[in-house]
Amino acid sequence: MTDAASNLTLLGATVWMGAQSFAFAADVDVDHADGKKRKTSDHKDAGQHKTVPGYEQVEVIGQFRNRSPKFTASILDTPKSVSVISRQILDETASHTLADALRNVPGITMGAGEGGNPVGDRPFLRGQDAQSSTFVDGMRDVGAQSRETFNVESIDVIKGDTGAISGRAGAGGAIVINSKMPKLANFIDANVGFGNADYKRATFDGNWKVAPTGAFRFNLMVDDEDKAGRGPTHFERYGLAPSLSFGLGTPNRVTLMYYHMQNFDTPDVGIPYNNPTFRARTDGATPSMVTGSGAPVSVPFDTWYGLKARDRNNDGIDMGTLRFEHDFSPNLHIRNSTRYSETKQDDIWTMPDDSNGNIYYGYVYRRMNSRISTFDTATNQTDFYGTVHLLGFKNSFAMGAEFTREQGKNDTYAAFVNGVNVTSGTNYTRCATALAFSSGTCTTLLNPNPDDAYSASIRRAGNPNSTRFDTKAVYLTDTITFLPQLLGNFGVRLDNVQSTFRSAGAEYGRGDNLFTYQGGLVYKPAPNGAIYASYATSAIPPGNSVGQGSDDISLGVDRTGNVGSVLKPEQDRTIEVGTKWSLLHNRIFVAGALFQIDASDFKITTATGGIANGGKKRTRGGEISINGQLTKWWEVSGGYSYLDARLIEYGGSGASAGVMNGRHAPNTPENSLSLWTTFRPVENLKVGGGVYYMSRIYGTDSPTAPKFVPAYWRFDFMASYRFLKHYTLQLNIQNIANTRYFIQAYTTHYALQAPGRTAMVNMNVHF
């Protein structure tokens, strides 16, 4: 990926130079919302762009504007940290899932599922939960799922509070997934791959010009693979994404998109920590293990505590989008997007539960976590944006309105042996009877058998709950050019959110008005550089994840009988200073930032066991990044992040009150590094490698019973060879050293292990 390619990807243009994407990092206004085809030399700001010696003249191909209009300046002139994962990086690193893709941005971790939902993507940005701050083509996508990348053109990672841009949540930033869109061109990309761990994958990406201003694009994916070194873990999924556009290159454009993905997985299960809760057995047994440091237990690499006869993830998503765009003039545009999506989950998943002290005696209770969920979203969003001159200043503005209804309905499964619910009967949870083992409910710590028979009968628990979230919002953002060397960026947003939670025949509701804002100044000492300072806020109302994440019970009743509707929204702010530079004739983009995030009023448990808005958390850190081409044949992309996230006020009941104050926040590594580089020694051969490092991550930094996953290094390799003009053969080896490391740290019971060494060979055909 070049910085330029990432810049134009964010701006929604596609730039081609032979077979490779390339652009100019200092580009301020390359985005052509009218979709017209023109050379950059014809652009009104062409004076900023210099042709790089040895490179062809670049040309912008007409297509829909894919980047959110809420960004009113280029990456260079935006007073925020923005990272872009291009399609080129996704392909070179063989990143097939969102979790794989986000590895390329330092400072991001994937948290373990909570709130009764053990599966699905739960990214953390700068130590803040971003599950509810994930967007597809500018519209929020909360539904829990493990996202694929076969229909992804690029991924924008916006760091720091984004309330004024995206509404509720966004304390650490937002993740914006940009879908592949139709283009006025004819091409076919087909890929088929094989590898170890029974890896088999095929994708198809076809685009056809069906009219002078119309195009049709169709993406297809089938994937069938194990998880290297992780026992019976298996992923089987397919997806398709047709899209149709008319009016490309004209002032009136319309597109219709549909996305479907279905998976039938045998999920991976965790490895328990080595310091579980201790409960002495009453049968006279002697413990076989001593208390450890809080790291995962030391067991063989392929240890898997699940049950093949029981565990499954059968999830699916359907998403339809209709978008209209109109240009009033070259400088004024409007866009309206309507979407309906439905996400379904049918999951049964084994948690290696350590809460009953079984591990000390060499046993593991196979706790059954489950989810039966339907989550639907209906959204209409209108954006009016462009450039105007007011009082002698240039204003690049965007204003709009959003109306969204999100609704989730959740139930679980229950398991019974001889009429006894095994999740509550101590004869099963304590692993102290022969029936606990003969039924498959318990197993051994060191030698679990995934083929154990499971004699329990499974049926729906029949105790569903539902959450509904209605949002009405208006916003305004503006970049003002005070002087050629001085720009101001300002934004405000007002959200009215109404939420309702229903459970066990009871109903709780609340309403909140969320006012968020941002402001920043950008000083440009040179056309290719910027120094900025910014202040931004966000707000997180109770029930924010709409039953899909960790706060789905926030609207209910706490143990003291207080209704959650009395809680206030969490308030967050980010102060950030940084600099960005486009160097080496705009081939390299470098950036650095220092920041502080303060979170306040998040819910905590009080000393008496109630719930109150007393929480405070602070994250201080810095990051640097580099993207682009050091030479014509050498590309580099990556960065380093330092995060010091501390719980300032964390509450706690009884003797636990105040114990966690000053401790590390969960899911936040102090140090992380991501570096990907490729080199082309001859015209048709490219070799590359990746280096990834992450320091210790805490599930909890409790002073008495910490839970954490150790630091790790990971190394990847890639080689691709292009032959016969249309064919490319690519080899990827991920985790070359077969390092055992962990990618998720649950707060209490387990950590999720990463795959072992994975090798795959893919053949790509491009016409």
Side-chain angles (χ1 to χ4, degrees), residues 19 29 77 89 116 214 251 271 278 284 292 312 498 514 555 582 658 685 737:
D29 215 358
D77 296 337
I89 285 289
I271 304 296
F278 179 72
R312 68 171 186 266
Q498 302 290 326
L514 311 176
L555 298 177
S582 179
L685 175 65

Side-chain angles (χ1 to χ4, degrees), residues 683-696:
E683 180 65 28
N684 293 324
L685 175 65
K686 178 183 284 190
V687 294
V691 179
Y692 307 95
Y693 171 77
M694 196 165 289
S695 59
R696 174 181 294 190

Side-chain angles (χ1 to χ4, degrees), residues 97-105 107-114 118-131 134 145-147 175 273 666-669 694 697-699 709 712 742-747 750-753:
T97 67
L98 178 64
D100 290 338
L102 294 180
R103 185 183 300 111
N104 295 288
V105 180
I108 299 181
T109 56
M110 301 301 290
E114 294 195 27
V119 298
D121 298 325
R122 191 183 177 215
F124 276 72
L125 295 181
R126 290 183 174 175
Q128 310 291 327
D129 192 337
Q131 178 177 344
T134 302
Q145 57 187 289
S146 298
R147 293 172 175 83
I175 296 169
Y273 296 109
N667 294 293
T668 310
M694 196 165 289
I697 300 173
Y698 285 96
V709 297
Y712 72 87
F742 296 83
I743 51 177
Q744 294 179 7
Y746 187 65
T747 54
Y750 70 94
L752 193 65
Q753 188 172 313

Side-chain angles (χ1 to χ4, degrees), residues 85-104 121 145-155 175 177-180 199 201-205 217 219-221 223 225 237-241 259-261 734:
I85 307 168
S86 70
R87 184 70 241 178
Q88 180 178 331
I89 285 289
L90 295 177
D91 290 337
E92 288 181 351
T93 59
S95 296
H96 299 149
T97 67
L98 178 64
D100 290 338
L102 294 180
R103 185 183 300 111
N104 295 288
D121 298 325
Q145 57 187 289
S146 298
R147 293 172 175 83
E148 256 276 352
T149 62
F150 76 96
N151 191 47
V152 173
E153 190 67 53
S154 65
I155 302 171
I175 296 169
I177 301 169
N178 300 308
S179 301
K180 294 179 179 178
Y199 168 83
R201 181 180 174 91
T203 60
F204 176 85
D205 180 4
R217 191 165 186 174
N219 274 268
L220 178 68
M221 174 275 301
D223 189 291
E225 59 183 287
R237 57 194 63 180
Y238 73 90
L240 55 91
Y259 176 86
H260 173 78
M261 195 188 82
Q734 299 173 340

Side-chain angles (χ1 to χ4, degrees), residues 378-671:
T379 300
N380 182 269
Q381 185 171 297
T382 300
D383 301 290
F384 177 59
Y385 56 96
T387 302
V388 297
H389 286 78
L390 295 175
L391 302 177
F393 299 115
K394 177 184 175 182
N395 291 258
S396 298
F397 75 95
M399 63 176 64
E402 174 191 330
F403 302 91
T404 299
R405 186 213 68 201
E406 300 163 285
Q407 184 167 297
K409 299 178 182 179
N410 309 313
D411 200 355
T412 59
Y413 288 104
F416 296 85
V417 175
N418 298 329
V420 177
N421 189 327
V422 299
T423 62
S424 58
T426 57
N427 285 338
Y428 302 97
T429 61
R430 295 298 302 275
C431 299
T433 65
L435 187 58
F437 291 91
S438 64
S439 65
T441 306
C442 287
T443 188
T444 62
L445 177 66
L446 298 178
N447 192 30
N449 182 3
D451 292 309
D452 282 344
Y454 188 61
S455 61
S457 61
I458 298 176
R459 58 178 181 264
R460 290 184 71 137
N463 185 29
N465 64 70
S466 66
T467 306
R468 175 169 170 167
F469 226 87
D470 294 293
T471 301
K472 305 181 209 51
V474 292
Y475 77 90
L476 170 66
T477 58
D478 191 12
T479 296
I480 305 173
T481 304
F482 296 114
L483 298 168
Q485 299 82 19
L486 183 64
L487 290 77
N489 179 275
F490 308 98
V492 293
R493 179 171 171 132
L494 178 63
D495 287 76
N496 174 264
V497 295
Q498 302 290 326
S499 49
T500 305
F501 177 71
R502 299 180 180 90
S503 180
E507 180 175 313
Y508 311 97
R510 64 176 292 126
D512 292 289
N513 290 313
L514 311 176
F515 177 72
T516 51
Y517 57 93
Q518 66 181 33
L521 289 176
V522 179
Y523 170 65
K524 297 177 66 63
N528 63 320
I531 301 170
Y532 68 88
S534 66
Y535 182 95
T537 68
S538 63
I540 307 175
N544 169 68
S545 67
V546 202
Q548 299 295 291
S550 60
D551 65 349
D552 56 313
I553 60 173
S554 299
L555 298 177
V557 179
D558 68 24
R559 67 184 71 180
T560 62
N562 293 321
V563 178
S565 59
V566 302
L567 295 174
K568 298 184 296 183
E570 176 184 327
Q571 302 294 326
D572 303 274
R573 68 172 189 177
T574 296
I575 301 172
E576 181 172 326
V577 295
T579 185
K580 305 176 184 181
W581 290 86
S582 179
L583 306 173
L584 301 180
H585 301 287
N586 297 323
R587 294 199 315 263
I588 285 288
F589 191 75
V590 296
L594 298 173
F595 53 84
Q596 176 172 306
I597 302 175
D598 290 289
S600 61
D601 289 336
F602 63 81
K603 65 180 186 296
I604 59 172
T605 302
T606 65
T608 59
I611 297 176
N613 289 103
K616 294 182 180 179
K617 181 169 69 172
R618 174 172 294 166
T619 302
R620 290 173 171 163
E623 57 192 28
I624 57 175
S625 63
I626 179 171
N627 294 279
Q629 291 184 303
L630 294 172
T631 70
K632 184 177 180 180
W633 308 107
W634 184 12
E635 298 181 359
V636 62
S637 171
Y640 164 78
S641 171
Y642 172 78
L643 298 171
D644 182 19
R646 300 282 176 167
L647 303 171
I648 307 301
E649 297 287 345
Y650 201 64
S653 62
S656 297
V659 169
M660 292 296 294
N661 292 350
R663 310 297 294 185
H664 289 94
N667 294 293
T668 310
E670 281 195 350
N671 299 281

Side-chain angles (χ1 to χ4, degrees), residues 55-76:
Y55 291 92
E56 301 174 21
Q57 175 68 51
V58 297
E59 191 173 68
V60 177
I61 307 299
Q63 66 173 49
F64 271 102
R65 178 187 176 116
N66 204 19
R67 179 216 181 190
S68 171
K70 297 173 186 176
F71 287 90
T72 52
S74 69
I75 292 180
L76 180 67

Side-chain angles (χ1 to χ4, degrees), residues 181-504:
M181 305 287 281
K183 304 175 182 180
L184 289 179
N186 295 316
F187 63 83
I188 291 176
D189 274 298
N191 184 283
V192 60
F194 300 90
N196 71 324
D198 205 25
Y199 168 83
K200 301 178 289 293
R201 181 180 174 91
T203 60
F204 176 85
D205 180 4
N207 191 96
W208 298 272
K209 184 177 179 180
V210 296
T213 65
F216 174 72
R217 191 165 186 174
F218 182 70
N219 274 268
L220 178 68
M221 174 275 301
V222 291
D223 189 291
D224 190 308
E225 59 183 287
D226 297 337
K227 183 176 179 180
R230 294 300 302 139
T233 302
H234 183 76
F235 305 117
E236 181 179 347
R237 57 194 63 180
Y238 73 90
L240 55 91
S243 54
L244 180 65
S245 299
F246 288 102
L248 296 174
T250 76
N252 297 290
R253 302 173 297 282
V254 60
T255 189
L256 179 65
M257 297 180 285
Y258 173 70
Y259 176 86
H260 173 78
M261 195 188 82
Q262 186 74 44
N263 63 281
F264 307 94
D265 300 342
T266 300
D268 198 0
V269 300
I271 304 296
Y273 296 109
N274 63 18
N275 61 343
T277 301
F278 179 72
R279 294 186 182 181
R281 295 276 287 267
T282 60
D283 58 3
T286 302
S288 59
M289 188 183 86
V290 297
T291 300
S293 62
V297 295
S298 180
V299 292
F301 196 102
D302 63 349
T303 302
W304 193 81
Y305 295 102
L307 288 162
K308 291 166 64 176
R310 182 180 75 176
D311 290 13
R312 68 171 186 266
N313 286 348
N314 297 337
D315 303 337
I317 179 170
D318 292 275
M319 177 185 295
T321 306
L322 178 63
R323 175 176 292 174
F324 297 94
E325 290 184 283
H326 171 69
D327 301 331
F328 297 100
S329 70
N331 295 320
L332 290 178
H333 322 280
I334 193 169
R335 183 172 82 174
N336 180 267
S337 303
T338 301
R339 170 175 294 162
Y340 178 81
S341 67
E342 183 177 75
T343 304
K344 293 183 177 180
Q345 292 180 284
D346 186 354
D347 305 332
I348 297 177
W349 177 88
T350 294
M351 175 189 285
D353 196 313
D354 67 353
S355 61
N356 287 282
N358 297 302
I359 293 172
Y360 284 111
Y361 298 92
Y363 305 124
V364 170
Y365 163 50
R366 289 165 161 159
R367 172 177 162 182
M368 185 181 79
N369 278 20
S370 61
R371 181 85 161 184
I372 311 166
S373 172
T374 300
F375 184 83
D376 62 79
T377 302
T379 300
N380 182 269
Q381 185 171 297
T382 300
D383 301 290
F384 177 59
Y385 56 96
T387 302
V388 297
H389 286 78
L390 295 175
L391 302 177
F393 299 115
K394 177 184 175 182
N395 291 258
S396 298
F397 75 95
M399 63 176 64
E402 174 191 330
F403 302 91
T404 299
R405 186 213 68 201
E406 300 163 285
Q407 184 167 297
K409 299 178 182 179
N410 309 313
D411 200 355
T412 59
Y413 288 104
F416 296 85
V417 175
N418 298 329
V420 177
N421 189 327
V422 299
T423 62
S424 58
T426 57
N427 285 338
Y428 302 97
T429 61
R430 295 298 302 275
C431 299
T433 65
L435 187 58
F437 291 91
S438 64
S439 65
T441 306
C442 287
T443 188
T444 62
L445 177 66
L446 298 178
N447 192 30
N449 182 3
D451 292 309
D452 282 344
Y454 188 61
S455 61
S457 61
I458 298 176
R459 58 178 181 264
R460 290 184 71 137
N463 185 29
N465 64 70
S466 66
T467 306
R468 175 169 170 167
F469 226 87
D470 294 293
T471 301
K472 305 181 209 51
V474 292
Y475 77 90
L476 170 66
T477 58
D478 191 12
T479 296
I480 305 173
T481 304
F482 296 114
L483 298 168
Q485 299 82 19
L486 183 64
L487 290 77
N489 179 275
F490 308 98
V492 293
R493 179 171 171 132
L494 178 63
D495 287 76
N496 174 264
V497 295
Q498 302 290 326
S499 49
T500 305
F501 177 71
R502 299 180 180 90
S503 180

